[in-house]
């Protein structure tokens, strides 16, 4: 889904999974500072949008998701996962109920697989699931923004800002009055600063929620009856996850950022040392400089100096060992 906002002055298209929206509009750090100050907006119209209607929508979703949503109040934001039978993360949903419809935005291109799974689980429940990506665009307003949401938008308000589910036909008109646009790279830089994991970036085929700090925010420990719940309970009650998410301050003298997938080693072991993790997302932050998120083995000392490929890195704990 290619955004019409790519025609705005200075827009440089994003690549990879975020293809379809702008990576930036000519000044990455200015765009970050604007978002940090609560001004501007981010075009996320490439993300998938799924809508669930019907009288049983919340009780039905409650059985499938990791989050407690059976009594979710209207207009209250929630975050939830869908796990495999072995407890590995398959989908991440960012949702809100407007009183008649549950709206969720998901990773670009993942809505088809999500809908296929939801359709297979409908049984006798009074629910309808629809792909609304073609007619609904997601727009992000940062925390502190005083921009008015159009009356036609469904608003999902979080501590990090507001996500608007906006009729796609209104996207250009909204952009014209919402302040300076910021690209997906600025949005990602603030996400990394806030230690927030993203499906497909901080996850691989064997990631479980405990490794990323998704317990609590996306996984409710006082509910069961969802696929993968046994793994969640076993790790919570009897053990520890094999890996943990860390935040890395990277050596600013290096010209290149270590890419996603770059091997992480203990600095004391040198370049030929044993791999103890990998970079998941690396960015240049307007205040912190080059930083990254990484997954490392749980038993890596929290004060250990690390190397991300050839770049020295100091770690901050995100998930406790």
């Amino acid at each position: 889904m290619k955004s019409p906002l790519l025609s705005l002055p200075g827009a440089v298209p994003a690549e990879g999974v975020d293809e379809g929206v702008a990576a930036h509009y000519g000044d990455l750090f200015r765009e970050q500072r604007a978002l940090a100050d609560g001004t501007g907006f981010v075009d996320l119209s490439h993300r998938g949008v799924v809508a669930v209607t019907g009288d049983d929508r919340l009780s039905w979703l409650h059985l499938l998701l990791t989050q407690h949503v059976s009594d979710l109040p209207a207009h209250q934001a929630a975050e939830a996962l869908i796990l495999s039978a072995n407890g590995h993360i398959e989908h991440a949903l960012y949702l809100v109920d407007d009183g008649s419809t549950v709206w969720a935005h998901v990773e670009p291109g993942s809505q088809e697989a999500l809908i296929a799974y939801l359709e297979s689980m409908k049984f006798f429940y009074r629910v309808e699931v629809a792909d609304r990506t073609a007619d609904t665009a997601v727009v992000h307003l940062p925390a502190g923004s005083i921009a008015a949401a159009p009356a036609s938008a469904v608003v999902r308000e979080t501590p990090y800002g507001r996500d608007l589910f906006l009729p796609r036909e209104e996207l250009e008109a909204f952009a014209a009055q919402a302040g300076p646009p910021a690209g997906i790279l600025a949005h990602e830089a603030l996400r990394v600063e806030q230690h927030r994991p993203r499906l497909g970036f901080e996850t691989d085929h064997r990631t479980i929620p405990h490794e990323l700090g998704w317990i609590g925010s996306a996984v409710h420990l006082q509910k069961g009856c969802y696929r993968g719940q046994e793994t969640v309970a076993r790790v919570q009650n009897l053990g520890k996850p094999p890996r943990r998410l860390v935040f890395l301050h990277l050596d600013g003298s290096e010209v290149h950022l270590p890419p996603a997938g770059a091997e992480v080693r203990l600095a004391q072991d040198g370049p030929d040392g044993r791999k103890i993790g990998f970079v998941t997302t690396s960015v240049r932050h307007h205040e912190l400089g080059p930083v990254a998120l990484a997954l490392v083995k749980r038993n890596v000392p929290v004060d250990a100096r690390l190397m991300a490929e050839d770049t020295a890195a100091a770690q901050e704990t995100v998930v406790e060992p």
Side-chain angles (χ1 to χ4, degrees):
M1 189 69 67
K2 185 177 180 179
S3 173
L5 303 190
L6 285 172
S7 63
L8 292 178
V12 174
E15 299 177 348
V17 70
D18 288 320
E19 182 180 3
V21 295
H24 60 83
Y25 294 88
D27 191 336
L28 173 62
F29 290 153
R30 176 188 59 78
E31 294 165 31
Q32 285 186 39
R33 287 192 291 269
L35 293 180
D37 290 340
T39 59
F41 70 95
V42 183
D43 177 12
L44 299 178
S45 62
H46 63 315
R47 290 184 65 81
V49 177
V50 176
V52 182
T53 56
D55 291 343
D56 295 337
R57 64 188 183 281
L58 290 175
S59 59
W60 176 67
L61 285 171
H62 184 78
L63 298 175
L64 305 177
L65 304 180
T66 58
Q67 188 58 270
H68 197 300
V69 297
S70 59
D71 302 315
L72 184 68
H75 312 296
Q76 179 175 308
E79 189 173 342
L81 308 175
I82 289 178
L83 307 180
S84 73
N86 293 322
H88 301 139
I89 300 168
E90 292 190 345
H91 295 282
L93 296 80
Y94 302 86
L95 55 89
V96 66
D97 185 272
D98 68 2
S100 62
T101 301
V102 173
W103 296 87
H105 66 81
V106 298
E107 287 300 320
S110 69
Q111 66 271 18
E112 291 185 6
L114 171 61
I115 289 172
Y117 171 69
L118 294 178
E119 287 285 352
S120 73
M121 301 300 290
K122 283 173 65 172
F123 303 116
F124 55 85
Y125 289 94
R126 297 170 295 174
V127 293
E128 295 296 331
V129 182
D131 184 349
R132 299 294 300 273
T133 309
D135 60 33
T136 306
V138 179
V139 177
H140 176 75
L141 295 173
S145 170
I146 60 172
S152 57
V154 175
V155 180
R156 178 179 179 271
E157 188 159 0
T158 77
Y160 307 105
R162 287 174 287 163
D163 296 336
L164 309 185
F165 294 87
L166 183 72
R168 193 170 288 272
E169 62 189 16
E170 298 181 20
L171 179 58
E172 290 181 273
F174 175 79
Q177 56 85 35
I184 193 70
L185 291 182
H187 187 261
E188 283 290 280
L190 298 190
R191 176 183 72 81
V192 170
E193 177 197 11
Q194 295 155 355
H195 305 167
R196 291 189 290 132
R198 182 178 173 187
L199 184 76
F201 287 65
E202 280 60 59
T203 67
D204 58 19
H205 67 283
R206 58 193 181 96
T207 306
I208 61 175
H210 300 75
E211 296 177 318
L212 303 183
W214 253 328
I215 301 299
S217 62
V219 178
H220 195 290
L221 292 175
Q222 303 306 313
K223 72 172 292 262
C225 301
Y226 60 87
R227 191 174 65 176
Q229 186 266 340
E230 295 84 356
T231 298
V232 170
R234 185 168 60 250
V235 174
Q236 183 70 23
N237 297 322
L238 301 176
K240 295 283 188 179
R243 303 176 296 183
R244 60 184 180 88
L245 188 68
V246 297
F247 179 73
L248 301 180
H249 292 270
L250 302 171
D251 181 358
S253 65
E254 296 290 340
V255 176
H256 301 290
L257 290 172
E263 294 186 352
V264 175
R265 295 177 170 82
L266 294 173
Q268 66 187 29
D269 293 343
D272 297 324
R274 178 174 56 91
K275 175 184 174 182
I276 52 92
F278 60 93
V279 171
T280 59
T281 307
S282 58
V283 298
R284 296 190 185 277
H285 190 273
H286 70 286
E287 288 184 339
L288 301 175
V291 292
L293 293 173
L295 270 178
V296 301
K297 292 181 181 296
R298 178 177 58 83
N299 59 2
V300 173
V302 296
D303 58 351
R305 302 288 295 185
L306 305 177
M307 295 289 293
E309 280 193 339
D310 299 326
T311 302
Q315 60 170 311
E316 282 186 21
T317 300
V318 176
V319 174
E320 295 290 337

